[in-house]
Amino acid sequence: MKKKMMAAVLTMAMAVAAMAGCGSNSASNDAATTEKAAADGKVYKVGIVQYVDDASLNQIEKAVEAELDAKAKELGVTFDYKDYTYNGQADSSTLNQIATDLVAEDVDVIIPIATPTAMIMQAATEENQIPVVFSAVSDPVTAGLVESMDKPGSNITGTSDALNTEAVMDLMFAANKDIKKVGLLYNKSQDSSTVPIQDAKDYLDKKGVEYVEKTGTTNDEISLAADALVAAGVDAVFTPTDNTVMTAELAIYEKFVEAGIPHYAGADSFALNGAFCGFGVNYVDLGTATADIVVDILVNGKDPATTAVQTMSNGIATVNTDVASQLGIDYSVFDGMCEKVVEIQTAEEFE
């Protein structure tokens, strides 16, 4: 009996030692864990939360989902996002409820699209530390989402669509060097608009060009603001990556066209919906990069706190050729001023 007991004790001791030996090589352990996850067909629950329906944000969501599907096939895992995808319709109460639901569903990661969504998801995960990987946040530092772009801190990181406002204004004055008055159209409650609007003011002040600010928080208010800019006799209008104006663009662009006023904005989706020119990042690339960060965190164990926020290349001018023709603008002057010029026609969504 004693021999049997001693043998059992020795067997347990050898097992413990073997387990300890495995833990001594963290790099090998991580690699083995990743391979095992792939072999076991592990399922990751991925929450995707969109701020509101608009062409840019829809484009990002589709790109995120397409990349997750591609990576799932490559790695032999499953990213279950279909059961956890929501749209807040620009309503903070709805977004807060979505956050509560995702936490209760114990998702493995949350992907908020746009700044207001990211802020609500961040607040909801402060205690549980569910990783948050945002997309299309123009200024994550000013919004208080991250400590710095290189080292976000806490459980959050993502991708930024920060706008090069000076480049947009350069295009504006290249197309018409005689501009005397510029309209600034935006939602003053959106953090994504704060910095670029100030940058636009600084740019115009240096040029000695007058500007008129009009703001709104709803489609109706944006429509009235557009009417006010037309009445003020502005020569051009600038809007940053502002989701409120984006959702209203299809309803207001004809006002500007009829008045002979080109609308310059911070994303290609504005041009798709009727603005003369959208300048900014490629949102398919942005969504793809966002999904890649998610995969790195879930599958490879990357720490969001030390994963740098990615800022995308920001030099594509998208011109609405229908509107350019009606306004009589020769946009060939844009050649050489940006990464490339893309021609587009008015539509509700990207194909």
Side-chain angles (χ1 to χ4, degrees):
M1 178 70 73
K2 286 183 179 179
K3 286 183 179 179
K4 288 183 179 180
M5 288 179 65
M6 287 294 293
V9 169
L10 286 170
T11 301
M12 290 176 64
M14 289 172 67
V16 170
M19 289 173 67
C22 289
S24 66
N25 188 336
S26 61
S28 299
N29 212 24
D30 289 344
T33 300
T34 300
E35 289 174 5
K36 190 174 186 305
D40 289 350
K42 184 165 183 176
V43 177
Y44 297 98
K45 295 190 287 187
V46 179
I48 301 176
V49 189
Q50 188 159 304
Y51 176 60
V52 69
D53 276 319
D54 75 34
S56 286
L57 304 189
N58 293 344
Q59 194 179 21
I60 293 168
E61 183 188 328
K62 289 176 185 176
V64 166
E65 294 170 354
E67 181 68 356
L68 287 177
D69 289 343
K71 290 295 184 183
K73 186 176 181 180
E74 176 188 327
L75 298 169
V77 300
T78 298
F79 297 111
D80 180 9
Y81 57 80
K82 292 180 181 178
D83 294 328
Y84 310 104
T85 297
Y86 299 91
N87 191 309
Q89 298 300 343
D91 183 88
S92 59
S93 296
T94 301
L95 287 166
N96 275 294
Q97 184 58 55
I98 289 169
T100 300
D101 291 345
L102 288 174
V103 170
E105 287 161 344
D106 195 26
V107 295
D108 296 297
V109 67
I110 299 175
I111 306 174
I113 303 175
T115 304
T117 315
M119 294 174 75
I120 288 173
M121 298 304 134
Q122 180 197 39
T125 58
E126 282 180 347
E127 292 185 8
N128 53 64
Q129 290 293 288
I130 293 172
V132 174
V133 181
F134 57 73
S135 191
V137 172
S138 301
D139 191 349
V141 176
T142 298
L145 291 169
V146 300
E147 294 174 8
S148 73
M149 299 291 276
D150 293 333
K151 295 182 179 179
S154 191
N155 61 312
I156 188 165
T157 187
T159 58
S160 172
D161 59 346
L163 180 64
N164 184 341
T165 304
E166 183 176 344
V168 182
M169 306 305 281
D170 285 344
L171 294 178
M172 183 186 292
F173 282 88
N176 180 7
K177 65 179 186 302
D178 296 322
I179 290 175
K180 304 298 181 187
K181 187 187 298 184
V182 173
L184 304 177
L185 178 63
Y186 63 103
N187 178 350
K188 61 184 176 182
S189 66
Q190 285 212 359
D191 290 319
S192 61
S193 293
T194 304
V195 172
I197 286 295
Q198 186 57 54
D199 289 343
K201 291 177 183 178
D202 293 342
Y203 181 102
L204 295 169
D205 285 339
K206 288 179 183 177
K207 274 188 167 291
V209 173
E210 182 183 354
Y211 52 82
V212 179
E213 292 181 75
K214 294 297 176 184
T215 66
T217 59
T218 65
N219 280 9
D220 288 343
E221 289 177 359
I222 292 297
S223 183
L224 290 172
D227 289 335
L229 290 175
V230 171
V234 299
D235 300 304
V237 172
F238 167 69
T239 296
T241 50
D242 189 301
N243 292 302
T244 304
V245 180
M246 174 65 246
T247 58
E249 188 65 40
L250 280 167
I252 66 172
Y253 83 92
E254 290 178 333
K255 298 174 185 285
F256 293 140
V257 173
E258 289 171 6
I261 301 169
H263 188 188
Y264 293 78
D268 55 1
S269 51
F270 284 88
L272 181 75
N273 286 176
F276 162 62
C277 179
F279 181 89
V281 307
N282 181 315
Y283 280 103
V284 172
D285 290 347
L286 191 80
T288 301
T290 305
D292 287 341
I293 294 174
V294 169
V295 173
D296 215 15
I297 289 170
L298 293 182
V299 179
N300 300 327
K302 197 76 178 286
D303 184 2
T306 58
T307 302
V309 175
Q310 289 190 35
T311 301
M312 311 303 291
S313 175
N314 184 325
I316 301 173
T318 303
V319 174
N320 186 311
T321 55
D322 293 336
V323 173
S325 177
Q326 292 178 72
L327 294 174
I329 297 177
D330 177 12
Y331 56 89
S332 65
V333 295
F334 295 169
D335 292 336
M337 294 183 67
C338 48
E339 186 179 320
K340 64 179 177 179
V341 176
V342 175
E343 295 179 330
I344 206 166
Q345 293 181 320
T346 307
E348 191 167 339
E349 283 287 343
F350 288 98
E351 294 181 356

